[in-house]
PDB file of all heavy atoms in Angstrom:
ATOM      1  N   VAL A   1      -6.165  17.732   1.618  1.00 90.00           N
ATOM      2  CA  VAL A   1      -5.328  17.226   0.527  1.00 90.00           C
ATOM      3  C   VAL A   1      -4.685  15.892   0.898  1.00 90.00           C
ATOM      4  O   VAL A   1      -4.229  15.699   2.022  1.00 90.00           O
ATOM      5  CB  VAL A   1      -4.182  18.218   0.194  1.00 90.00           C
ATOM      6  CG1 VAL A   1      -3.427  17.755  -1.057  1.00 90.00           C
ATOM      7  CG2 VAL A   1      -4.725  19.609  -0.006  1.00 90.00           C
ATOM      8  N   LEU A   2      -4.660  14.979  -0.065  1.00 89.00           N
ATOM      9  CA  LEU A   2      -3.942  13.713   0.087  1.00 89.00           C
ATOM     10  C   LEU A   2      -2.941  13.605  -1.055  1.00 89.00           C
ATOM     11  O   LEU A   2      -3.167  14.138  -2.138  1.00 89.00           O
ATOM     12  CB  LEU A   2      -4.920  12.540  -0.020  1.00 89.00           C
ATOM     13  CG  LEU A   2      -5.864  12.342   1.162  1.00 89.00           C
ATOM     14  CD1 LEU A   2      -7.017  11.461   0.740  1.00 89.00           C
ATOM     15  CD2 LEU A   2      -5.133  11.727   2.346  1.00 89.00           C
ATOM     16  N   TYR A   3      -1.838  12.914  -0.798  1.00 89.00           N
ATOM     17  CA  TYR A   3      -0.847  12.671  -1.843  1.00 89.00           C
ATOM     18  C   TYR A   3      -0.669  11.172  -1.957  1.00 89.00           C
ATOM     19  O   TYR A   3      -0.837  10.460  -0.967  1.00 89.00           O
ATOM     20  CB  TYR A   3       0.509  13.278  -1.449  1.00 89.00           C
ATOM     21  CG  TYR A   3       0.456  14.753  -1.151  1.00 89.00           C
ATOM     22  CD1 TYR A   3       0.141  15.205   0.127  1.00 89.00           C
ATOM     23  CD2 TYR A   3       0.725  15.686  -2.150  1.00 89.00           C
ATOM     24  CE1 TYR A   3       0.089  16.562   0.405  1.00 89.00           C
ATOM     25  CE2 TYR A   3       0.680  17.048  -1.880  1.00 89.00           C
ATOM     26  CZ  TYR A   3       0.364  17.480  -0.601  1.00 89.00           C
ATOM     27  OH  TYR A   3       0.311  18.812  -0.336  1.00 89.00           O
ATOM     28  N   GLY A   4      -0.296  10.706  -3.143  1.00 86.00           N
ATOM     29  CA  GLY A   4      -0.027   9.273  -3.208  1.00 86.00           C
ATOM     30  C   GLY A   4       0.088   8.753  -4.614  1.00 86.00           C
ATOM     31  O   GLY A   4       0.218   9.507  -5.577  1.00 86.00           O
ATOM     32  N   SER A   5       0.025   7.433  -4.715  1.00 85.00           N
ATOM     33  CA  SER A   5       0.126   6.775  -5.998  1.00 85.00           C
ATOM     34  C   SER A   5      -0.854   5.610  -6.004  1.00 85.00           C
ATOM     35  O   SER A   5      -0.672   4.638  -5.270  1.00 85.00           O
ATOM     36  CB  SER A   5       1.551   6.255  -6.203  1.00 85.00           C
ATOM     37  OG  SER A   5       1.550   5.228  -7.160  1.00 85.00           O
ATOM     38  N   ALA A   6      -1.886   5.736  -6.825  1.00 81.00           N
ATOM     39  CA  ALA A   6      -2.881   4.658  -6.896  1.00 81.00           C
ATOM     40  C   ALA A   6      -2.220   3.398  -7.440  1.00 81.00           C
ATOM     41  O   ALA A   6      -2.574   2.279  -7.080  1.00 81.00           O
ATOM     42  CB  ALA A   6      -4.045   5.076  -7.784  1.00 81.00           C
ATOM     43  N   LYS A   7      -1.224   3.599  -8.312  1.00 81.00           N
ATOM     44  CA  LYS A   7      -0.546   2.467  -8.912  1.00 81.00           C
ATOM     45  C   LYS A   7       0.207   1.681  -7.843  1.00 81.00           C
ATOM     46  O   LYS A   7       0.216   0.455  -7.817  1.00 81.00           O
ATOM     47  CB  LYS A   7       0.430   2.985  -9.962  1.00 81.00           C
ATOM     48  CG  LYS A   7       0.743   2.004 -11.046  1.00 81.00           C
ATOM     49  CD  LYS A   7       1.482   2.758 -12.132  1.00 81.00           C
ATOM     50  CE  LYS A   7       2.045   1.846 -13.187  1.00 81.00           C
ATOM     51  NZ  LYS A   7       2.821   2.673 -14.135  1.00 81.00           N
ATOM     52  N   GLN A   8       0.872   2.411  -6.923  1.00 81.00           N
ATOM     53  CA  GLN A   8       1.594   1.750  -5.834  1.00 81.00           C
ATOM     54  C   GLN A   8       0.683   1.502  -4.627  1.00 81.00           C
ATOM     55  O   GLN A   8       1.132   1.050  -3.582  1.00 81.00           O
ATOM     56  CB  GLN A   8       2.788   2.616  -5.407  1.00 81.00           C
ATOM     57  CG  GLN A   8       3.820   2.765  -6.509  1.00 81.00           C
ATOM     58  CD  GLN A   8       4.978   3.659  -6.096  1.00 81.00           C
ATOM     59  OE1 GLN A   8       4.955   4.299  -5.041  1.00 81.00           O
ATOM     60  NE2 GLN A   8       5.999   3.718  -6.929  1.00 81.00           N
ATOM     61  N   GLU A   9      -0.601   1.864  -4.801  1.00 81.00           N
ATOM     62  CA  GLU A   9      -1.635   1.542  -3.811  1.00 81.00           C
ATOM     63  C   GLU A   9      -1.468   2.221  -2.459  1.00 81.00           C
ATOM     64  O   GLU A   9      -1.721   1.617  -1.424  1.00 81.00           O
ATOM     65  CB  GLU A   9      -1.759   0.012  -3.648  1.00 81.00           C
ATOM     66  CG  GLU A   9      -1.967  -0.685  -4.994  1.00 81.00           C
ATOM     67  CD  GLU A   9      -2.450  -2.124  -4.882  1.00 81.00           C
ATOM     68  OE1 GLU A   9      -2.427  -2.681  -3.781  1.00 81.00           O
ATOM     69  OE2 GLU A   9      -2.858  -2.683  -5.916  1.00 81.00           O
ATOM     70  N   TRP A  10      -1.067   3.499  -2.451  1.00 84.00           N
ATOM     71  CA  TRP A  10      -1.059   4.216  -1.163  1.00 84.00           C
ATOM     72  C   TRP A  10      -1.491   5.671  -1.335  1.00 84.00           C
ATOM     73  O   TRP A  10      -1.374   6.248  -2.396  1.00 84.00           O
ATOM     74  CB  TRP A  10       0.329   4.171  -0.501  1.00 84.00           C
ATOM     75  CG  TRP A  10       1.397   4.912  -1.271  1.00 84.00           C
ATOM     76  CD1 TRP A  10       2.147   4.421  -2.307  1.00 84.00           C
ATOM     77  CD2 TRP A  10       1.816   6.273  -1.089  1.00 84.00           C
ATOM     78  NE1 TRP A  10       3.000   5.391  -2.780  1.00 84.00           N
ATOM     79  CE2 TRP A  10       2.831   6.538  -2.049  1.00 84.00           C
ATOM     80  CE3 TRP A  10       1.452   7.291  -0.200  1.00 84.00           C
ATOM     81  CZ2 TRP A  10       3.467   7.783  -2.151  1.00 84.00           C
ATOM     82  CZ3 TRP A  10       2.086   8.531  -0.305  1.00 84.00           C
ATOM     83  CH2 TRP A  10       3.084   8.769  -1.272  1.00 84.00           C
ATOM     84  N   MET A  11      -2.016   6.220  -0.257  1.00 86.00           N
ATOM     85  CA  MET A  11      -2.336   7.652  -0.179  1.00 86.00           C
ATOM     86  C   MET A  11      -1.972   8.084   1.238  1.00 86.00           C
ATOM     87  O   MET A  11      -2.081   7.289   2.174  1.00 86.00           O
ATOM     88  CB  MET A  11      -3.834   7.900  -0.387  1.00 86.00           C
ATOM     89  CG  MET A  11      -4.286   7.883  -1.828  1.00 86.00           C
ATOM     90  SD  MET A  11      -4.069   9.496  -2.612  1.00 86.00           S
ATOM     91  CE  MET A  11      -4.134   9.070  -4.346  1.00 86.00           C
ATOM     92  N   ALA A  12      -1.545   9.332   1.409  1.00 87.00           N
ATOM     93  CA  ALA A  12      -1.208   9.833   2.733  1.00 87.00           C
ATOM     94  C   ALA A  12      -1.420  11.333   2.783  1.00 87.00           C
ATOM     95  O   ALA A  12      -1.540  11.979   1.740  1.00 87.00           O
ATOM     96  CB  ALA A  12       0.250   9.494   3.074  1.00 87.00           C
ATOM     97  N   THR A  13      -1.454  11.900   3.990  1.00 86.00           N
ATOM     98  CA  THR A  13      -1.661  13.347   4.096  1.00 86.00           C
ATOM     99  C   THR A  13      -0.354  14.092   3.838  1.00 86.00           C
ATOM    100  O   THR A  13      -0.335  15.305   3.734  1.00 86.00           O
ATOM    101  CB  THR A  13      -2.218  13.724   5.485  1.00 86.00           C
ATOM    102  OG1 THR A  13      -1.436  13.039   6.463  1.00 86.00           O
ATOM    103  CG2 THR A  13      -3.671  13.313   5.620  1.00 86.00           C
ATOM    104  N   ASP A  14       0.759  13.355   3.767  1.00 82.00           N
ATOM    105  CA  ASP A  14       2.052  13.970   3.520  1.00 82.00           C
ATOM    106  C   ASP A  14       2.666  13.342   2.270  1.00 82.00           C
ATOM    107  O   ASP A  14       2.585  12.126   2.100  1.00 82.00           O
ATOM    108  CB  ASP A  14       2.950  13.717   4.737  1.00 82.00           C
ATOM    109  CG  ASP A  14       4.261  14.475   4.626  1.00 82.00           C
ATOM    110  OD1 ASP A  14       5.172  13.962   3.936  1.00 82.00           O
ATOM    111  OD2 ASP A  14       4.365  15.560   5.217  1.00 82.00           O
ATOM    112  N   PRO A  15       3.307  14.150   1.406  1.00 80.00           N
ATOM    113  CA  PRO A  15       3.869  13.574   0.176  1.00 80.00           C
ATOM    114  C   PRO A  15       4.902  12.481   0.454  1.00 80.00           C
ATOM    115  O   PRO A  15       5.114  11.593  -0.362  1.00 80.00           O
ATOM    116  CB  PRO A  15       4.541  14.758  -0.528  1.00 80.00           C
ATOM    117  CG  PRO A  15       4.080  15.991   0.172  1.00 80.00           C
ATOM    118  CD  PRO A  15       3.483  15.610   1.472  1.00 80.00           C
ATOM    119  N   GLU A  16       5.534  12.524   1.636  1.00 80.00           N
ATOM    120  CA  GLU A  16       6.567  11.537   1.966  1.00 80.00           C
ATOM    121  C   GLU A  16       5.981  10.207   2.441  1.00 80.00           C
ATOM    122  O   GLU A  16       6.687   9.253   2.674  1.00 80.00           O
ATOM    123  CB  GLU A  16       7.503  12.088   3.055  1.00 80.00           C
ATOM    124  CG  GLU A  16       8.284  13.328   2.623  1.00 80.00           C
ATOM    125  CD  GLU A  16       9.059  13.097   1.327  1.00 80.00           C
ATOM    126  OE1 GLU A  16       9.802  12.100   1.257  1.00 80.00           O
ATOM    127  OE2 GLU A  16       8.908  13.910   0.386  1.00 80.00           O
ATOM    128  N   GLY A  17       4.684  10.172   2.664  1.00 70.00           N
ATOM    129  CA  GLY A  17       4.104   8.911   3.144  1.00 70.00           C
ATOM    130  C   GLY A  17       3.607   9.067   4.559  1.00 70.00           C
ATOM    131  O   GLY A  17       3.419  10.179   4.994  1.00 70.00           O
ATOM    132  N   PRO A  18       3.352   8.008   5.285  1.00 81.00           N
ATOM    133  CA  PRO A  18       3.673   6.592   5.065  1.00 81.00           C
ATOM    134  C   PRO A  18       3.032   6.014   3.796  1.00 81.00           C
ATOM    135  O   PRO A  18       1.887   6.319   3.508  1.00 81.00           O
ATOM    136  CB  PRO A  18       3.098   5.905   6.301  1.00 81.00           C
ATOM    137  CG  PRO A  18       2.058   6.823   6.824  1.00 81.00           C
ATOM    138  CD  PRO A  18       2.525   8.196   6.497  1.00 81.00           C
ATOM    139  N   LYS A  19       3.796   5.182   3.098  1.00 81.00           N
ATOM    140  CA  LYS A  19       3.328   4.631   1.822  1.00 81.00           C
ATOM    141  C   LYS A  19       2.741   3.241   2.009  1.00 81.00           C
ATOM    142  O   LYS A  19       3.151   2.297   1.359  1.00 81.00           O
ATOM    143  CB  LYS A  19       4.494   4.600   0.821  1.00 81.00           C
ATOM    144  CG  LYS A  19       5.138   5.969   0.650  1.00 81.00           C
ATOM    145  CD  LYS A  19       6.220   5.979  -0.415  1.00 81.00           C
ATOM    146  CE  LYS A  19       6.754   7.409  -0.568  1.00 81.00           C
ATOM    147  NZ  LYS A  19       7.758   7.536  -1.615  1.00 81.00           N
ATOM    148  N   ASP A  20       1.795   3.131   2.960  1.00 83.00           N
ATOM    149  CA  ASP A  20       1.301   1.802   3.341  1.00 83.00           C
ATOM    150  C   ASP A  20       0.102   1.338   2.531  1.00 83.00           C
ATOM    151  O   ASP A  20       0.097   0.267   1.967  1.00 83.00           O
ATOM    152  CB  ASP A  20       0.921   1.787   4.821  1.00 83.00           C
ATOM    153  CG  ASP A  20       2.106   2.124   5.698  1.00 83.00           C
ATOM    154  OD1 ASP A  20       3.233   1.893   5.234  1.00 83.00           O
ATOM    155  OD2 ASP A  20       1.897   2.626   6.815  1.00 83.00           O
ATOM    156  N   ASN A  21      -0.949   2.159   2.518  1.00 84.00           N
ATOM    157  CA  ASN A  21      -2.203   1.693   1.934  1.00 84.00           C
ATOM    158  C   ASN A  21      -3.132   2.877   1.693  1.00 84.00           C
ATOM    159  O   ASN A  21      -2.717   4.026   1.784  1.00 84.00           O
ATOM    160  CB  ASN A  21      -2.873   0.667   2.861  1.00 84.00           C
ATOM    161  CG  ASN A  21      -2.948   1.212   4.287  1.00 84.00           C
ATOM    162  OD1 ASN A  21      -3.091   2.413   4.497  1.00 84.00           O
ATOM    163  ND2 ASN A  21      -2.844   0.326   5.262  1.00 84.00           N
ATOM    164  N   MET A  22      -4.392   2.560   1.410  1.00 83.00           N
ATOM    165  CA  MET A  22      -5.372   3.594   1.098  1.00 83.00           C
ATOM    166  C   MET A  22      -6.172   4.044   2.326  1.00 83.00           C
ATOM    167  O   MET A  22      -7.103   4.822   2.193  1.00 83.00           O
ATOM    168  CB  MET A  22      -6.359   3.053   0.048  1.00 83.00           C
ATOM    169  CG  MET A  22      -5.776   2.973  -1.330  1.00 83.00           C
ATOM    170  SD  MET A  22      -5.648   4.635  -2.020  1.00 83.00           S
ATOM    171  CE  MET A  22      -4.852   4.286  -3.567  1.00 83.00           C
ATOM    172  N   ASP A  23      -5.814   3.523   3.509  1.00 86.00           N
ATOM    173  CA  ASP A  23      -6.596   3.868   4.707  1.00 86.00           C
ATOM    174  C   ASP A  23      -6.824   5.367   4.876  1.00 86.00           C
ATOM    175  O   ASP A  23      -7.936   5.790   5.200  1.00 86.00           O
ATOM    176  CB  ASP A  23      -5.935   3.301   5.978  1.00 86.00           C
ATOM    177  CG  ASP A  23      -5.968   1.774   5.982  1.00 86.00           C
ATOM    178  OD1 ASP A  23      -6.328   1.204   4.934  1.00 86.00           O
ATOM    179  OD2 ASP A  23      -5.643   1.165   7.015  1.00 86.00           O
ATOM    180  N   PRO A  24      -5.782   6.211   4.686  1.00 86.00           N
ATOM    181  CA  PRO A  24      -6.013   7.641   4.891  1.00 86.00           C
ATOM    182  C   PRO A  24      -7.130   8.193   4.006  1.00 86.00           C
ATOM    183  O   PRO A  24      -7.873   9.082   4.420  1.00 86.00           O
ATOM    184  CB  PRO A  24      -4.662   8.283   4.535  1.00 86.00           C
ATOM    185  CG  PRO A  24      -3.658   7.200   4.775  1.00 86.00           C
ATOM    186  CD  PRO A  24      -4.345   5.924   4.414  1.00 86.00           C
ATOM    187  N   LEU A  25      -7.259   7.643   2.797  1.00 86.00           N
ATOM    188  CA  LEU A  25      -8.323   8.106   1.908  1.00 86.00           C
ATOM    189  C   LEU A  25      -9.694   7.663   2.437  1.00 86.00           C
ATOM    190  O   LEU A  25     -10.622   8.456   2.533  1.00 86.00           O
ATOM    191  CB  LEU A  25      -8.102   7.569   0.489  1.00 86.00           C
ATOM    192  CG  LEU A  25      -9.186   7.930  -0.524  1.00 86.00           C
ATOM    193  CD1 LEU A  25      -9.241   9.420  -0.761  1.00 86.00           C
ATOM    194  CD2 LEU A  25      -8.948   7.233  -1.862  1.00 86.00           C
ATOM    195  N   PHE A  26      -9.802   6.391   2.805  1.00 88.00           N
ATOM    196  CA  PHE A  26     -11.074   5.903   3.374  1.00 88.00           C
ATOM    197  C   PHE A  26     -11.453   6.725   4.601  1.00 88.00           C
ATOM    198  O   PHE A  26     -12.593   7.159   4.760  1.00 88.00           O
ATOM    199  CB  PHE A  26     -10.943   4.430   3.793  1.00 88.00           C
ATOM    200  CG  PHE A  26     -10.974   3.448   2.644  1.00 88.00           C
ATOM    201  CD1 PHE A  26      -9.878   2.631   2.366  1.00 88.00           C
ATOM    202  CD2 PHE A  26     -12.108   3.306   1.862  1.00 88.00           C
ATOM    203  CE1 PHE A  26      -9.912   1.707   1.330  1.00 88.00           C
ATOM    204  CE2 PHE A  26     -12.155   2.370   0.825  1.00 88.00           C
ATOM    205  CZ  PHE A  26     -11.051   1.578   0.555  1.00 88.00           C
ATOM    206  N   ASP A  27     -10.463   6.929   5.492  1.00 88.00           N
ATOM    207  CA  ASP A  27     -10.754   7.655   6.736  1.00 88.00           C
ATOM    208  C   ASP A  27     -11.196   9.087   6.446  1.00 88.00           C
ATOM    209  O   ASP A  27     -12.095   9.607   7.092  1.00 88.00           O
ATOM    210  CB  ASP A  27      -9.525   7.653   7.657  1.00 88.00           C
ATOM    211  CG  ASP A  27      -9.188   6.240   8.135  1.00 88.00           C
ATOM    212  OD1 ASP A  27     -10.108   5.377   8.106  1.00 88.00           O
ATOM    213  OD2 ASP A  27      -8.028   5.980   8.511  1.00 88.00           O
ATOM    214  N   MET A  28     -10.562   9.694   5.466  1.00 90.00           N
ATOM    215  CA  MET A  28     -10.920  11.079   5.142  1.00 90.00           C
ATOM    216  C   MET A  28     -12.337  11.167   4.581  1.00 90.00           C
ATOM    217  O   MET A  28     -13.075  12.094   4.870  1.00 90.00           O
ATOM    218  CB  MET A  28      -9.908  11.689   4.182  1.00 90.00           C
ATOM    219  CG  MET A  28     -10.111  13.183   4.060  1.00 90.00           C
ATOM    220  SD  MET A  28      -8.793  14.009   3.189  1.00 90.00           S
ATOM    221  CE  MET A  28      -7.493  14.081   4.373  1.00 90.00           C
ATOM    222  N   VAL A  29     -12.719  10.180   3.766  1.00 90.00           N
ATOM    223  CA  VAL A  29     -14.082  10.180   3.228  1.00 90.00           C
ATOM    224  C   VAL A  29     -15.091  10.092   4.373  1.00 90.00           C
ATOM    225  O   VAL A  29     -16.067  10.844   4.431  1.00 90.00           O
ATOM    226  CB  VAL A  29     -14.285   9.028   2.214  1.00 90.00           C
ATOM    227  CG1 VAL A  29     -15.761   8.825   1.892  1.00 90.00           C
ATOM    228  CG2 VAL A  29     -13.493   9.302   0.944  1.00 90.00           C
ATOM    229  N   LEU A  30     -14.828   9.192   5.337  1.00 90.00           N
ATOM    230  CA  LEU A  30     -15.763   9.037   6.454  1.00 90.00           C
ATOM    231  C   LEU A  30     -15.819  10.310   7.294  1.00 90.00           C
ATOM    232  O   LEU A  30     -16.868  10.700   7.804  1.00 90.00           O
ATOM    233  CB  LEU A  30     -15.371   7.862   7.354  1.00 90.00           C
ATOM    234  CG  LEU A  30     -15.362   6.473   6.713  1.00 90.00           C
ATOM    235  CD1 LEU A  30     -15.362   5.387   7.775  1.00 90.00           C
ATOM    236  CD2 LEU A  30     -16.549   6.258   5.789  1.00 90.00           C
ATOM    237  N   ASP A  31     -14.666  10.969   7.418  1.00 89.00           N
ATOM    238  CA  ASP A  31     -14.569  12.136   8.271  1.00 89.00           C
ATOM    239  C   ASP A  31     -15.148  13.386   7.613  1.00 89.00           C
ATOM    240  O   ASP A  31     -15.855  14.169   8.239  1.00 89.00           O
ATOM    241  CB  ASP A  31     -13.075  12.331   8.605  1.00 89.00           C
ATOM    242  CG  ASP A  31     -12.881  13.505   9.536  1.00 89.00           C
ATOM    243  OD1 ASP A  31     -13.758  13.705  10.405  1.00 89.00           O
ATOM    244  OD2 ASP A  31     -11.873  14.227   9.396  1.00 89.00           O
ATOM    245  N   LYS A  32     -14.845  13.584   6.321  1.00 89.00           N
ATOM    246  CA  LYS A  32     -15.171  14.864   5.683  1.00 89.00           C
ATOM    247  C   LYS A  32     -16.481  14.872   4.899  1.00 89.00           C
ATOM    248  O   LYS A  32     -16.988  15.927   4.566  1.00 89.00           O
ATOM    249  CB  LYS A  32     -14.051  15.254   4.702  1.00 89.00           C
ATOM    250  CG  LYS A  32     -12.688  15.445   5.338  1.00 89.00           C
ATOM    251  CD  LYS A  32     -12.636  16.709   6.146  1.00 89.00           C
ATOM    252  CE  LYS A  32     -11.231  16.950   6.705  1.00 89.00           C
ATOM    253  NZ  LYS A  32     -11.244  17.999   7.729  1.00 89.00           N
ATOM    254  N   VAL A  33     -16.975  13.690   4.527  1.00 90.00           N
ATOM    255  CA  VAL A  33     -18.191  13.667   3.706  1.00 90.00           C
ATOM    256  C   VAL A  33     -19.380  13.341   4.596  1.00 90.00           C
ATOM    257  O   VAL A  33     -19.332  12.399   5.383  1.00 90.00           O
ATOM    258  CB  VAL A  33     -18.066  12.617   2.572  1.00 90.00           C
ATOM    259  CG1 VAL A  33     -19.344  12.549   1.747  1.00 90.00           C
ATOM    260  CG2 VAL A  33     -16.870  12.945   1.689  1.00 90.00           C
ATOM    261  N   ALA A  34     -20.420  14.140   4.496  1.00 89.00           N
ATOM    262  CA  ALA A  34     -21.606  13.915   5.337  1.00 89.00           C
ATOM    263  C   ALA A  34     -22.365  12.691   4.842  1.00 89.00           C
ATOM    264  O   ALA A  34     -22.378  12.403   3.651  1.00 89.00           O
ATOM    265  CB  ALA A  34     -22.506  15.140   5.264  1.00 89.00           C
ATOM    266  N   PRO A  35     -23.000  11.969   5.774  1.00 88.00           N
ATOM    267  CA  PRO A  35     -23.886  10.878   5.320  1.00 88.00           C
ATOM    268  C   PRO A  35     -25.048  11.480   4.528  1.00 88.00           C
ATOM    269  O   PRO A  35     -25.390  12.645   4.754  1.00 88.00           O
ATOM    270  CB  PRO A  35     -24.388  10.238   6.620  1.00 88.00           C
ATOM    271  CG  PRO A  35     -23.930  11.098   7.728  1.00 88.00           C
ATOM    272  CD  PRO A  35     -22.961  12.110   7.221  1.00 88.00           C
ATOM    273  N   PRO A  36     -25.642  10.721   3.607  1.00 88.00           N
ATOM    274  CA  PRO A  36     -26.733  11.296   2.807  1.00 88.00           C
ATOM    275  C   PRO A  36     -27.911  11.686   3.688  1.00 88.00           C
ATOM    276  O   PRO A  36     -28.292  10.927   4.586  1.00 88.00           O
ATOM    277  CB  PRO A  36     -27.112  10.173   1.844  1.00 88.00           C
ATOM    278  CG  PRO A  36     -26.500   8.940   2.386  1.00 88.00           C
ATOM    279  CD  PRO A  36     -25.348   9.336   3.228  1.00 88.00           C
TER     280      PRO A  36
END
């Protein structure tokens, strides 16, 4: 699960943040989704 605000341009594994950027989402995709 990720929490965040696309409008404010951040996602994080915790609802409190860090409210920096979308890196956690990118990293999770690389980590959890298998290559084709």
Side-chain angles (χ1 to χ4, degrees):
V1 187
L2 288 162
Y3 303 87
S5 158
K7 206 169 171 184
Q8 296 178 352
E9 307 195 348
W10 66 275
M11 280 275 162
T13 47
D14 187 278
E16 297 306 308
K19 305 184 177 183
D20 300 335
N21 50 33
M22 286 286 176
D23 294 10
L25 177 65
F26 284 118
D27 295 338
M28 191 170 283
V29 167
L30 298 197
D31 182 36
K32 299 288 184 193
V33 178

